Amino acid sequence: MTLMLKPGTEWTTLYERCREIAPEAFAADRVHNHWGGRWRADGEPRLAVSPVDGTEIAGPPMVDADTAEA
């Protein structure tokens, strides 16, 4: 079976669109966390894969306990 996606809906294209629309929330290699009233590039991104085609995607950043408590 050959996987076919609608043009412009593959992860890299969609993620780049997100970065253009909300650059404060998306970095090249990670999604930022929002807390304390602003977006922050903290935490360690977890490995995540697209359920559509199995490619690696920007995973959710996991913060440590102290950061989560703040």
Side-chain angles (χ1 to χ4, degrees):
M1 180 166 127
T2 302
L3 178 66
M4 294 187 59
L5 296 175
K6 181 178 177 180
T9 63
E10 62 280 339
W11 174 260
T12 53
T13 301
L14 290 175
Y15 194 76
E16 194 55 40
R17 285 173 51 199
C18 291
R19 292 189 66 213
E20 290 171 5
I21 293 167
E24 66 281 3
F26 301 92
D29 63 338
R30 64 173 42 217
V31 177
H32 292 167
N33 277 308
H34 189 270
W35 62 274
R38 68 182 181 95
W39 290 99
R40 301 168 189 261
D42 54 5
E44 290 297 320
R46 296 186 84 178
L47 174 64
V49 295
S50 168
V52 174
D53 63 6
T55 58
E56 188 173 332
I57 61 176
M62 304 304 288
V63 296
D64 59 32
D66 291 336
T67 303
E69 188 176 318

